[in-house]
Amino acid sequence: MSSQIEIQRIEKSKIASVDFNNLPFGSVYSDHMLECNFKNGAWQTPVIKPFSPISLDPSSKIFHYGQSIFEGMKAYKDAENNTLLFRPLDNWKRLNKSAERLMIPQIPEEIFMEGLKALLKVDNDWIPTNEGSSLYIRPFMFATGSGFHASPANEYKFIIATAPSGAYFAGKVKVLIEEKYARAANGGVGYAKAGGNYAAQFYPTQLAMDKGYNQVIWTDDNTHQFIEEAGAMNIFIRINDTLITSPTSDRILDGITRKSILQIAEDAGIQTEVRKISVGEVVEAAKNGNLKEMFGAGTAAVISPIAGFGYQENDYELPVLENSFAAQLKKKITDIQTNKVADPYGWRIFV
Ligand SMILES: *Cc1c(COP(=O)(O)O)cnc(C)c1O
């Protein structure tokens, strides 16, 4: 496969203009991207080429019908300068699950994995080595095929673009438990990383921000009585010493960080529960002091601790803990990701 990837190198690298000691998150891009087109019913030869704008017909279906999906993953450097990926096949499988739901063709494992590895080799110098930094990787697929009729396109583009990124600091996150809007519904596309899911989150999130919160806690669309996700992250709630997360479903994204944290927590002897979490139970626990922690889990921030939440005009603060589950679990997972400790799970892939 690697012999079938065409490589067009950039004339002059942009790397000297980047301050690797002050990297933002996801807004500085590496020299190259991988691009592969689907046409005449088949994926064409993948090309690694300079990161550059793409030109599309105004009638491309991506603009009108939103056939667009993505993934988020990271590459890390260890102390020996090896490049590592974390459970990348899970991202590939999930991209294809999203593709199926949005009527986008399946991307073969070879194009995804060999294309990604070849891209990481070409842009090897762009993978940050500083503590907490990583190369954020954004694979995505969308409809380029044209026509104003509402039907799946016949042409698509798969791109992998990368961004050297510093640690994702959300700060002290104050969240609002949502009672009106929903990010997903039964039978819908909530489990897919479909672009439109995020567009639909922006407005309710802005309303929460206008009230002084940073983020929305999504509840089930039917009753708004059960906690589902924290913004675009999975949610964990610690009541006393039990760590609870909602079960994945049509509405809840099957996060790779979520399932890794569950495994690591169980193996560290932390009591875990995967079950529906009612808003009433969390409010009650906050009132009687049993609510110890809430945090979001996802690739970008790994773990994003929540400092407090609002619900029905009341605000509840969470305690500041010395040795929080959030801090312990974040260290364990990032140590595995960056090859600082053994990986008993086989999650790391050397590039
Ligand atoms: C991507 C995403 C997550 C986290 O998934 P990871 O695989 O851990 O990055 C959780 N919820 C939503 C809605 C997401 O889009």
Side-chain angles (χ1 to χ4, degrees):
M1 177 73 213
S2 52
S3 58
Q4 289 170 31
I5 299 174
E6 185 185 324
I7 301 183
Q8 303 166 3
R9 284 182 189 270
I10 200 165
E11 277 177 30
K12 189 176 184 309
S13 174
K14 301 170 293 185
I15 202 161
S17 67
V18 176
D19 178 2
F20 277 76
N21 293 315
N22 289 293
L23 286 170
F25 192 92
S27 56
V28 167
Y29 309 103
S30 312
D31 281 335
H32 299 87
M33 63 184 191
L34 178 104
E35 190 177 293
C36 188
N37 294 321
F38 182 91
K39 62 178 180 194
N40 303 325
W43 289 102
Q44 310 294 305
T45 303
V47 183
I48 290 174
K49 60 190 223 177
F51 181 91
S52 55
I54 46 188
S55 171
L56 291 175
D57 193 284
S59 71
S60 291
K61 304 226 181 199
I62 166 68
F63 300 130
H64 309 276
Y65 307 117
Q67 271 185 295
S68 183
I69 54 173
F70 68 95
E71 272 301 320
M73 50 204 297
K74 284 173 171 175
Y76 312 84
K77 284 278 189 184
D78 71 6
E80 275 77 53
N81 210 36
N82 298 305
T83 300
L84 299 134
L85 289 164
F86 186 70
R87 311 186 77 171
L89 284 169
D90 292 24
N91 292 96
W92 166 69
K93 285 182 195 146
R94 192 171 62 192
L95 187 64
N96 277 338
K97 243 174 95 180
S98 302
E100 176 187 51
R101 184 65 180 82
L102 275 287
M103 275 298 283
I104 293 173
Q106 299 284 296
I107 188 87
E109 179 182 339
E110 267 199 311
I111 295 180
F112 186 95
M113 285 305 299
E114 299 310 315
L116 175 57
K117 288 179 185 171
L119 180 66
L120 293 177
K121 282 180 185 147
V122 169
D123 278 339
N124 179 56
D125 292 345
W126 287 85
I127 307 169
T129 53
N130 295 359
E131 183 77 31
S133 299
S134 59
L135 188 75
Y136 185 75
I137 301 167
R138 172 52 61 88
F140 58 111
M141 289 206 268
F142 58 95
T144 54
S146 60
F148 289 146
H149 41 97
S151 59
N154 55 2
E155 294 186 0
Y156 295 85
K157 209 182 263 299
F158 169 64
I159 293 179
I160 306 178
T162 69
S165 295
Y168 187 105
F169 281 125
K172 277 202 148 219
V173 183
K174 236 182 97 182
V175 298
L176 180 65
I177 297 183
E178 182 61 55
E179 292 178 79
K180 176 177 178 186
Y181 297 97
R183 74 170 288 281
N186 286 329
V189 294
Y191 69 88
K193 283 186 104 76
N197 285 344
Y198 306 84
Q201 289 186 201
F202 295 157
Y203 177 63
T205 304
Q206 185 58 50
L207 295 180
M209 286 174 169
D210 293 345
K211 292 185 190 159
Y213 300 94
N214 307 98
Q215 193 51 265
V216 168
I217 297 295
W218 299 108
T219 49
D220 69 288
D221 61 302
N222 190 22
T223 68
H224 296 288
Q225 300 284 308
F226 294 94
I227 289 188
E228 304 219 311
E229 293 211 62
M233 304 177 100
N234 293 115
I235 191 160
F236 282 86
I237 294 178
R238 173 180 172 188
I239 297 180
N240 293 317
D241 282 335
T242 303
L243 191 60
I244 315 165
T245 189
S246 323
T248 56
S249 68
D250 271 9
R251 304 183 306 271
I252 301 183
L253 195 119
D254 187 3
I256 295 162
T257 316
R258 172 187 174 279
K259 66 182 179 187
S260 305
I261 284 174
L262 271 176
Q263 177 82 58
I264 290 171
E266 278 163 23
D267 293 348
I270 293 173
Q271 175 84 34
T272 62
E273 286 177 9
V274 178
R275 61 163 173 86
K276 287 169 84 172
I277 309 164
S278 77
V279 177
E281 165 187 24
V282 173
V283 169
E284 194 52 38
K287 282 182 180 159
N288 62 28
N290 294 336
L291 182 67
K292 305 295 185 202
E293 294 180 57
M294 288 172 71
F295 55 86
T299 295
V302 187
I303 284 178
S304 177
I306 292 168
F309 70 91
Y311 182 63
Q312 293 185 338
E313 312 298 318
N314 289 313
D315 279 327
Y316 302 87
E317 254 183 57
L318 274 85
V320 179
L321 302 182
E322 275 293 311
N323 194 22
S324 64
F325 283 178
Q328 292 174 43
L329 293 166
K330 183 170 182 175
K331 177 162 169 38
K332 286 211 162 95
I333 191 170
T334 51
D335 280 354
I336 291 176
Q337 287 167 334
T338 55
N339 200 14
K340 288 195 181 118
V341 296
D343 170 17
Y345 312 106
W347 288 341
R348 282 193 300 247
I349 303 278
F350 286 86
V351 175

